[in-house]
Amino acid sequence: MAAEKIPDLQRSLKGALILPGPGVVSAEDLVAMPEQIWRALRQKITDGFKGDQHGFSATCMFPGCGGNVFISEKAKGERRYPYFAHREGEGLGCPWHTHAQMSLADARAAQYQGNQVSPAHEFLCKELARLVRLDKRFLSVEIDKTYVEGDGATHGRFPDVRFKWDGLPECVLEVQLSRTFQPEISERGLFYQSKGMPLLWVLHGVEPKMENLPTAFRDVIHRHKLNAFMLDQEAIDASERQQTLVLRCLILDADWKLSETLLVRFDQLTFPDLGLPYYRNMLLPNLSEIRQRRAPWAAALRALMKMDIRWRENNLDIPEVTAAFEALPVPFAVLGERYVFARLMAVSLTILSEATRIAGAREDHENFMYHRMPNLTASLNHFLQVRDAQQSFARVIEILTSRTAVHGHLNSSVELHITRAAWAWPDQISHSHPMFLMLKWLIPEVFDDVVREELRLAGKLPGWASGQDTE
């Protein structure tokens, strides 16, 4: 049970820095410990306060407090619950103090005012620097010391931990214990990226619940491709055994659920040219899965083309076409809509076929629109001249021809026909149109800006999808 769900513990400290033992321990971590564990920890803290050199020190985690604390306990039913409390005479001005007059809401707001030199922050920085020194490639390390100059338009930075290993670029570790606003997260990332210095955020909050992550933590984790990096005792032990920096890496899935937790060496991370380092890119789309989405449509259009006629609405009742529509997240129910979308897929896959050929991934061009056309230019010009709903595809075709490898390989007459068709049929299929949304699902490499950018940043954008915007 979490400490905040016990009414009598609402005012308890949210966390303590315990040295030289476990380091940062949140109130929730403490409550979750078996009694024999927290009671032994309580004894160590008491012994340390009494002067035992083998004991632990424990201080309040609220920024700017640092008062000595101990582990108290309270009975609830048959169970005893531990919680942190200030020692007598300590932390009298701290919002987490038992007798503090500040409201809970004000205390929570004040907690994240940006005091970056809390005991926990200082401890983690020093520990990271110590572990960095273990590596045989070690050249230098500094803690919040050397100013990295800005470029005139932006101010410089004092990195929390700045270090250099032989064979790697100079790296920056930023410790995040409290809320950091999204603009600041973005600015730091862009700043160090401009300096060619990979930036890695090491997270350690006082309430590290994966199912209730603060927004700032989510911002950082997302920039690390849904990887959360932390320094805990296991990571410290592994670092000392392997004589290099090892971090705890929490891998989250697309629903922000914990997928896997593992220990990773710093040099096992991927350092992209753009963006923050990561161990496993959980934002990277599964290209094989995406290709399988399109497979039913290629089969359906091939079946229609075998009819050796210009297929129409009454030809759509064949099994292959039915299967293709049923595979869509939102199948089109009206026959007229089905025909229009089938024609849209015919022109889209025809362009993709030619783009794939140009990129060298296939030898021939497959035309899903017409049986006898000399090239893609002729097919598109003829297609766009037909005065019916397929002229509403003009802007879609414009996107396909500019964001794939066919860009620069078509006659300029295609651009003219796109303009004329868009003028003739003003009600174009736009980004909010149901058919465009299905294209985003079927061909996200072209139509989904987020997927396209993620693939580009990772260097995984297929050659056929490289167009004008990636040159």
Side-chain angles (χ1 to χ4, degrees):
M1 180 182 292
E4 288 194 340
K5 294 183 180 178
I6 306 171
D8 291 340
L9 302 185
Q10 283 287 315
R11 181 63 77 174
S12 67
L13 274 79
K14 299 300 182 185
L17 176 64
I18 303 175
L19 301 175
V24 177
V25 176
S26 73
E28 292 184 342
D29 290 338
L30 184 65
V31 170
M33 291 180 183
E35 183 171 346
Q36 64 270 26
I37 300 298
W38 66 255
R39 200 167 287 282
L41 188 60
R42 167 186 163 94
Q43 180 177 315
K44 278 279 193 181
I45 292 171
T46 302
D47 290 348
F49 184 72
K50 294 296 185 180
D52 186 345
Q53 63 177 347
H54 300 295
F56 294 161
S57 70
T59 53
C60 176
M61 279 273 296
F62 191 89
C65 177
N68 287 308
V69 303
F70 66 102
I71 295 175
S72 188
E73 59 184 286
K74 192 170 188 69
K76 187 174 179 63
E78 296 181 355
R79 184 175 170 184
R80 305 195 69 81
Y81 292 92
Y83 63 96
F84 293 116
H86 287 93
R87 292 192 179 278
E88 186 176 357
E90 298 277 349
L92 295 178
C94 178
W96 288 350
H97 195 281
T98 307
H99 303 295
Q101 296 302 308
M102 187 182 292
S103 70
L104 285 173
D106 290 342
R108 185 172 292 278
Q111 172 187 355
Y112 302 108
Q113 286 297 310
N115 185 338
Q116 298 298 313
V117 196
S118 68
H121 186 276
E122 184 177 8
F123 164 74
L124 287 172
C125 287
K126 288 181 177 179
E127 195 68 356
L128 287 166
R130 180 180 73 84
L131 299 177
V132 160
R133 291 177 180 274
L134 298 177
D135 196 283
K136 63 182 180 182
R137 297 164 293 182
F138 171 76
L139 295 176
S140 65
V141 65
E142 293 177 333
I143 301 175
D144 194 24
K145 183 178 180 181
T146 302
Y147 185 71
V148 179
E149 292 283 353
D151 59 5
T154 58
H155 59 79
R157 301 279 175 179
F158 284 98
D160 283 344
V161 179
R162 174 185 186 178
F163 73 94
K164 183 77 173 73
W165 284 347
D166 188 29
L168 287 179
E170 190 170 23
C171 300
V172 170
L173 303 173
E174 290 281 0
V175 175
Q176 187 181 18
L177 291 171
S178 58
R179 297 181 190 267
T180 304
F181 294 113
Q182 169 74 341
E184 176 68 11
I185 293 168
S186 175
E187 286 174 11
R188 291 195 201 186
L190 293 173
F191 176 81
Y192 289 118
Q193 181 177 289
S194 71
K195 300 296 181 181
M197 302 169 71
L199 165 65
L200 186 123
W201 290 88
V202 179
L203 308 181
H204 209 138
V206 293
E207 298 178 81
K209 293 279 289 180
M210 296 307 297
E211 63 268 25
N212 190 27
L213 285 169
T215 298
F217 279 14
R218 288 176 178 266
D219 292 336
V220 166
I221 292 169
H222 191 271
R223 288 173 182 271
H224 278 301
K225 315 301 182 188
L226 296 184
N227 294 194
F229 297 99
M230 303 178 181
L231 185 67
D232 58 14
Q233 192 60 51
E234 278 192 81
I236 292 172
D237 293 343
S239 298
E240 291 172 344
R241 285 196 307 271
Q242 299 182 39
Q243 293 292 287
T244 191
L245 177 60
V246 176
L247 296 167
R248 168 75 62 191
C249 179
L250 305 181
I251 306 291
L252 280 67
D253 62 20
D255 297 320
W256 291 89
K257 302 295 184 183
L258 184 60
S259 172
E260 187 178 359
T261 176
L262 63 164
L263 297 173
V264 299
R265 294 165 55 107
F266 185 81
D267 57 12
Q268 287 180 305
L269 304 181
T270 295
F271 299 91
D273 292 333
L274 300 174
L276 303 186
Y278 58 88
Y279 178 71
R280 187 178 302 153
N281 189 344
M282 299 299 286
L283 296 177
L284 193 62
N286 187 324
L287 290 176
S288 177
E289 179 184 290
I290 292 171
R291 287 192 294 270
Q292 288 303 310
R293 296 177 195 172
R294 294 194 285 266
W297 278 99
L301 293 169
R302 289 186 184 112
L304 288 169
M305 292 299 290
K306 286 181 180 178
M307 294 180 175
D308 201 31
I309 58 172
R310 187 180 185 277
W311 47 272
R312 298 187 181 278
E313 291 181 10
N314 57 357
N315 303 123
L316 299 183
D317 58 353
I318 61 176
E320 291 89 345
V321 175
T322 300
F325 276 107
E326 290 179 347
L328 293 176
V330 184
F332 297 99
V334 180
L335 182 59
E337 288 182 339
R338 287 193 165 210
Y339 175 70
V340 172
F341 188 73
R343 294 298 292 170
L344 179 59
M345 286 304 298
V347 66
S348 297
L349 292 191
T350 298
I351 294 173
L352 260 61
S353 171
E354 178 64 4
T356 305
R357 186 194 67 79
I358 292 171
R362 63 179 295 167
E363 294 183 0
D364 60 335
H365 165 65
E366 189 169 11
N367 194 323
F368 296 100
M369 302 156 61
Y370 305 109
H371 285 287
R372 288 173 287 276
M373 281 288 174
N375 52 49
L376 183 60
T377 292
S379 295
L380 291 176
N381 286 344
H382 184 75
F383 187 88
L384 289 164
Q385 288 182 83
V386 178
R387 297 182 180 278
D388 65 12
Q390 66 191 42
Q391 285 190 318
S392 67
F393 305 168
R395 294 308 178 198
V396 168
I397 293 173
E398 184 177 44
I399 293 172
L400 282 163
T401 55
S402 65
R403 287 191 163 195
T404 64
V406 303
H407 173 70
H409 291 265
L410 299 174
N411 189 283
S412 60
S413 59
V414 173
E415 185 177 350
L416 178 62
H417 280 83
I418 288 173
T419 302
R420 287 175 175 173
W423 179 83
W425 203 283
D427 189 16
Q428 292 287 302
I429 292 177
S430 62
H431 289 73
S432 59
H433 195 285
M435 292 189 185
F436 193 97
L437 297 178
M438 287 303 99
L439 286 176
K440 284 182 67 174
W441 184 76
L442 288 164
I443 317 173
E445 303 99 319
V446 173
F447 293 102
D448 191 319
D449 290 343
V450 174
V451 170
R452 184 174 176 84
E453 180 66 3
E454 196 59 50
L455 289 168
R456 185 185 69 82
L457 290 175
K460 301 293 185 181
L461 188 67
W464 63 263
S466 297
Q468 184 179 18
D469 62 330
T470 60
E471 292 178 347

